[in-house]
Amino acid sequence: MKILAIETSCDETAAAVVKEGREVLSSVVASQVKEHVIYGGVVPEIASRRHTEAIVPVVDQALSAAGTDLHDIDAVAVTHAPGLIGSLLVGVNYAKGLAFAANLPLIPVHHLRSHIAANYIAHKELTPPFLCLVASGGHSHIIEVADYTKMQTIGRTRDDAAGEVFDKVARTLGLDYPGGVHLDAAAKGGDPVAFTFARPKMPGYDMSFSGIKTAAINYIHNFKQRGEPVPVADMAAIFREAVVDILTSTLSRAAFERGHKTIVLAGGVSANSRLREKMAEICTDAGWRLYMPPLELCGDNAAMVGAQAYYEYLSGVRAGLDLNAKATLPID
Ligand code: KG4
Ligand code: ZN
């Protein structure tokens, strides 16, 4: 079964053709980073307009790179939630038009579910159940994945997402958007224990990142107010360590207490080098299996949408032409 998948939830216009959920025949990602970098973040109105311009060539390219055309496609899948509403609407409406014109089933896919599914592409042996950390620009969730389409959020951030605080602190440090990747690079060579920020204590498996974000921003401003140079590498390393510590300690406590031995990372923040390194150490010590997407599948792409769509299709999920985009939607 070949699925044509479309993803436009934020600032990447992406399309892919995926066979039986695990084999990627093509994957095209048109990034808008250059458009947004001068503003230091994604400008939603610009993102929607660029999606409108890019969607036709990106889908055409995905079909031709897969050596196929619509006649050979069995279903159309699209990210319908959560994300920037104007961006999502471009993909949803285009997918509805394609499905209607080609008389194909339409499969709506939850963005965070697709981030988890990036791991099915990279790790053919991975099957649920497992415990997953999904950390992106808008979300930080700890999820028990019971089956491909059955999952439950057992912990989440109470305020900012991990990717969001990486981006904000990076911006205060004068690093370019998207800040997470630049802060990760800047932290190399920094001293992560020059000093530390107090870690928040949260109930259950919930997390909080806004306190350490504010502490870091105030600290950086204090250097500037005193007219001293900001120790960028140290600040990046200290802040990265704090975020990674909150994520890994909460995730590993959940795994211990709830008896999970298979741990999965997903979402843009799963590209963070320190998060990958620290979680690998924890899992080796505990005797747990750890799965992480390769770097090219951590960020937004449509291959992961095609992967999740296959399992949604098998479980009977279909959308009608009344499908609408939603800015927020729980994963479970
Ligand atoms: O999943 P994603 O591509 O888009 C959303 O669904 O939000 O995640 C984007 C987020 C951004 O906040 C970005 O700064 C962060 O992932 N990110 C990173 C790294 N690479 C991307 N954060 C920390 N370290 C990285 N290496
Ligand atoms: Zn994402």
Side-chain angles (χ1 to χ4, degrees), residues 67-105:
T68 187
D69 60 25
L70 267 186
H71 296 107
D72 197 28
I73 294 292
D74 302 295
V76 177
V78 66
T79 309
H80 73 300
L84 298 173
I85 193 69
S87 292
L88 287 165
L89 278 168
V90 176
V92 165
N93 283 313
Y94 190 74
K96 286 203 285 191
L98 268 189
F100 179 68
N103 197 22
L104 291 171

Side-chain angles (χ1 to χ4, degrees), residues 50-69:
R50 294 295 167 263
H51 284 309
T52 310
E53 289 163 5
I55 189 93
V56 174
V58 165
V59 169
D60 283 352
Q61 213 181 318
L63 287 169
S64 65
T68 187
D69 60 25

Side-chain angles (χ1 to χ4, degrees), residues 203-214:
Y205 306 119
D206 281 353
M207 296 166 282
S208 165
F209 298 100
S210 78
I212 58 164
K213 173 194 73 179
T214 307

Side-chain angles (χ1 to χ4, degrees), residues 152-330:
Q152 194 193 354
T153 302
I154 60 166
R156 72 181 75 217
T157 178
R158 293 276 183 112
D159 39 59
D160 297 355
E164 190 181 352
V165 294
F166 272 133
D167 292 344
K168 291 207 173 122
V169 170
R171 192 154 129 180
T172 313
L173 284 171
L175 304 171
D176 272 346
Y177 170 83
V181 66
H182 296 295
L183 188 144
D184 196 11
K188 294 202 172 77
D191 177 3
V193 289
F195 59 89
T196 56
F197 296 120
R199 310 290 193 253
K201 284 202 172 48
M202 300 299 290
Y205 306 119
D206 281 353
M207 296 166 282
S208 165
F209 298 100
S210 78
I212 58 164
K213 173 194 73 179
T214 307
I217 290 174
N218 286 342
Y219 215 86
I220 297 162
H221 283 161
N222 285 345
F223 277 102
K224 291 181 183 167
Q225 281 155 359
R226 291 196 301 268
E228 293 171 19
V230 178
V232 174
D234 284 355
M235 280 305 306
I238 292 159
F239 187 70
R240 182 179 67 173
E241 202 59 30
V243 174
V244 167
D245 193 25
I246 294 169
L247 291 171
T248 55
S249 60
T250 314
L251 180 61
S252 51
R253 189 162 47 80
F256 269 119
E257 291 175 0
R258 297 175 74 98
H260 290 280
K261 296 194 175 342
T262 305
I263 313 296
V264 173
L265 303 185
V269 176
S270 64
N272 187 268
S273 60
R274 180 65 185 135
L275 174 63
R276 295 170 83 92
E277 177 186 69
K278 189 160 182 184
M279 212 52 224
E281 286 166 13
I282 291 171
C283 289
T284 303
D285 289 349
W288 301 332
R289 285 169 301 272
L290 175 65
Y291 294 94
M292 307 181 269
L295 293 186
E296 69 275 13
L297 287 175
C298 288
D300 293 343
N301 64 86
M304 66 186 193
V305 179
Q308 181 61 26
Y310 176 68
Y311 297 103
E312 300 286 347
Y313 180 87
L314 292 184
S315 74
V317 174
R318 306 284 186 277
L321 291 178
D322 57 350
L323 177 67
N324 203 355
K326 289 196 175 88
T328 58
L329 184 71

